[in-house]
Amino acid sequence: MHARSAVVPVLLLALACGCTVQHVIGQDDGTCDPSAREVCDGVDNDCDGVIDEDVPGAGIACATGLADTCADGVLVCDGTALICQPQGRSVEVCDGADNDCDGEIDEDSPWERIDDGLVGGDVRAVAYDPRHAGVVYAFAGTLVYRSDDGGATFGQIGQSSDRLEAMAFPSAQPELILAATSSGLIASDDGGYTWRARALAGVPLRSVYAHPADGARIYVGTTGAGIFRSTNGGMSFEPVNVGVPLAQFPSFDGDPSDPDRVVAAAALLNDQGTLSGQGALLTSADGGDSWAVSLANVGMAYGLDRCPDDPDHLIAGVAGLGVAVSIDGGAAWAAAPALAGQSVVDVAFGAGDCSRFFASVQPDGVARIDDGGASSTLPSDTGMNVEYAGRVHLAVDPTGTRILGGNHAGLFASPDAGTWTQVDGVDGVDVTHLAATASGELWLTTWGQGTWSRASSWAKLTNGKLPRDFGFTVAPDPGDVSRIVVATFKDIWLSVDGGASFQPGNVAANVFDVAYDPVDAQRVYAASQTAGVLASLDGGATWTEANAGLPTAWDTGACICQDTRALLVDAATPSTLFVGTNGRGLFRSTDAGATWIAVAPQLSDEAIGCLVQTSDRLLACVDGEGLWESADQGTTFTALTTGLPELRNLIDVVFDAPTSTLFAVTDAGVYESKDGGATWRGLDNACLPFGDLTNPVVFEDGGTRRLVVGSGGQGVVARELPVAP
């Protein structure tokens, strides 16, 4: 996209403001005439030694057509014509404004996107807009993607501040889109580009549905708070829970010929508010004033769809049952013979044929059902290149040419649900951890999109190199570029050939941090959520628990476990280790992890997310309390960033030894300190293209030193650092 011009031709401005424009007459002999009148032509017309001075019209106020401080201008001569120059123009800085009045905001950002090659994202919703042929939307995390070619390609167009769960298209307003988010209902009036809060602020929503027979009637489903209905297009809602059980409501479907008929899918909750494994299908004949259970004693019900050619023909995806079919508008249901007993999480009719539909079977992929449910193909995720397909959200092209499926790995397309191809343009990977090798290669793990490496552009580890979708951390050996440890969900992997191949370890644990002994190349340590501290004496091939002296398993909220989060090996004395826990403070070992003792009583009940060593101190990221420091090998700690709210919620901190600089990533952005943490400054956070940041990494790239951070769903950025002295 070209930047909007910061200057406007004088003729148009004159017409707009009633100004008189002097006609420019060129001089054919190139000489000046003392009696001539100076005009705007880059020539000294009146022979006074000054070019284009006192040009008629110069200095007159004008309107630039730009926004904010760039709106007001004056006419000036640029050597060829009078132009409208913004009066508020200044040097571009990172402040969210168009300072230099060129039509672009913060375009001179020191942050550079380096997410070339990354593809995928946690796609939780995909749908064809029934009001506009060929228009499709997909939600991945907080990002909104749109396709105008029927789903062949997508591009990011908008973003929400909260996780997007579902979308709806009210029939009465062609450009309005409603979206259910983790914190209420939001709306877009311009086809998904910009969004604003609509209703139910702060309420976590699971679904939203616009009734096709009444565009003003909107239903939203919650987890535990029941069903809400709007009769004014989603501007306000009322609960409609007569006959509604305690449940999560993933989907609705309405009769296009009767605005009072609606069906809801329910996943029942237990008394503690968590999913019970049971479900039901509900129907209402009075627009939601009351509900009746039409299918009970089944597994959790998820997706619903209605045949376009027969409003009474519905299908529902039910865990443990397969596909439930109704031919009377939802009053009665029967299990289809195909896929009987399987966990179906979404369903969609094919185009123009009620006897053919598609079913997302968790975790295996998508199946095509024929003969009204009598037969089916095997569920397939061929081409998705994933560990498992998981929960695939379906959308079928109304023309019948394409099936779209979105899951934790991205968006995929298939002509028949047999073989899938990843769709271009959905590239909001959910980065969980970044690391750099000594040779300058970057690595990252993601939550759902696998593990990636980057020399010149990002490439996913495929073809069985590391067959895991969900990763926690990646840790190259700083002393050996061939050795890389990657921790994924429930297991840990080792490469000794620079990532060409990986072998699994012998433990099942969620590992959050890895530390190498700088002297003994075979000694490696790991901090895990479910098994405490792990130690390896063979370079990371096998692991044993090393928890002597640590507290026994405790309730962390997520599990009853020895939840350790950060681990550090003392650079000068490698037999001294430190481990930070989730809620039990800090522990130190002076015998290479054989035994541990509690230190730092000031942090005894704290959650410690990172440990960093500088030349003379130990630093700890304390959950909700910022950065703390110790000058006595961790025995005692004092708060370092008290009074700095922007550094309260730390993600991670890295110490750049060549420049003695600390870089901290927080929920407020990226900060640096050049005086040991006494003072901090933000690193152009107004120019960061995203939030939800990961750990910072300093590395050298072709002789250039860079600071890199990733995001939870939007890619990776880097900025150049000063050359080390």
Side-chain angles (χ1 to χ4, degrees), residues 607-634:
I608 298 173
C610 82
L611 292 168
V612 181
Q613 190 172 38
T614 69
S615 56
D616 59 350
R617 290 174 303 156
L618 179 66
L619 304 177
C621 302
V622 181
D623 186 28
E625 297 185 26
L627 198 62
W628 290 56
E629 64 176 345
S630 172
D632 56 10
Q633 284 291 85

Side-chain angles (χ1 to χ4, degrees), residues 118-478:
L118 291 175
V119 62
D122 184 13
V123 176
R124 297 199 177 197
V126 55
Y128 284 84
D129 187 338
R131 307 162 303 182
H132 303 289
V135 176
V136 200
Y137 293 91
F139 289 165
T142 61
L143 303 182
V144 180
Y145 294 90
R146 173 174 166 148
S147 170
D148 291 312
D149 55 14
T153 59
F154 281 76
Q156 183 194 338
I157 62 167
Q159 184 171 2
S160 165
S161 58
D162 300 292
R163 188 180 69 246
L164 297 158
E165 296 286 357
M167 68 189 83
F169 308 102
S171 57
Q173 301 180 62
E175 296 304 319
L176 176 64
I177 306 173
L178 300 177
T181 79
S182 57
S183 186
L185 187 72
I186 62 174
S188 172
D189 290 316
D190 56 9
Y193 288 88
T194 60
W195 296 82
R196 68 184 189 283
R198 184 81 163 194
L200 300 171
V203 179
L205 302 181
R206 182 65 181 82
S207 58
V208 58
Y209 181 74
H211 201 293
D214 182 355
R217 191 172 300 189
I218 312 297
Y219 296 87
V220 295
T222 70
T223 298
I227 299 170
F228 288 79
R229 180 188 63 195
S230 172
T231 57
N232 57 9
M235 299 303 296
S236 61
F237 284 82
E238 60 178 341
V240 285
N241 290 317
V242 175
V244 173
L246 180 66
Q248 177 188 94
F249 296 92
S251 60
F252 299 89
D253 201 284
D255 187 336
S257 63
D258 187 344
D260 286 332
R261 295 178 66 189
V262 63
V263 180
L268 302 183
L269 306 178
N270 56 31
D271 292 340
Q272 288 73 43
T274 58
L275 293 171
S276 67
Q278 300 298 305
L281 294 172
L282 311 178
T283 60
S284 175
D286 53 16
D289 288 340
S290 62
W291 299 83
V293 175
S294 57
L295 181 65
N297 301 317
V298 292
M300 295 182 289
Y302 293 107
L304 284 167
D305 200 18
R306 188 181 300 261
C307 181
D309 294 336
D310 182 359
D312 286 331
H313 195 158
L314 288 88
I315 51 177
V318 181
L321 176 71
V323 179
V325 180
S326 174
I327 57 174
D328 60 4
W333 298 84
L339 305 178
Q342 299 201 47
S343 183
V344 175
V345 295
D346 201 9
V347 289
F349 275 103
D353 186 355
C354 294
S355 67
R356 170 171 289 185
F357 47 89
F358 301 91
S360 167
V361 183
Q362 190 176 10
D364 301 321
V366 182
R368 188 188 74 237
I369 294 93
D370 295 305
D371 305 320
S375 62
S376 74
T377 62
L378 291 175
S380 172
D381 63 1
T382 302
M384 288 186 180
N385 191 32
V386 291
E387 179 182 355
Y388 58 89
R391 183 174 296 180
V392 182
H393 306 276
L394 298 175
V396 177
D397 188 338
T399 67
T401 60
R402 181 179 289 110
I403 306 157
L404 295 176
N407 65 1
H408 60 268
L411 188 62
F412 301 87
S414 174
D416 57 5
T419 302
W420 298 86
T421 303
Q422 192 144 32
V423 177
D424 291 337
V426 178
D427 52 5
V429 298
D430 189 353
V431 182
T432 53
H433 194 260
L434 277 166
T437 67
S439 60
E441 187 177 47
L442 284 172
W443 283 75
L444 63 80
T445 51
T446 70
W447 196 244
Q449 298 90 55
T451 301
W452 300 67
S453 64
R454 181 185 186 273
S456 56
S457 63
W458 291 102
K460 186 178 179 181
L461 272 66
T462 57
N463 301 321
K465 288 182 180 179
L466 206 163
R468 293 291 184 266
D469 297 338
F470 298 90
F472 287 113
T473 189
V474 54
D477 186 338

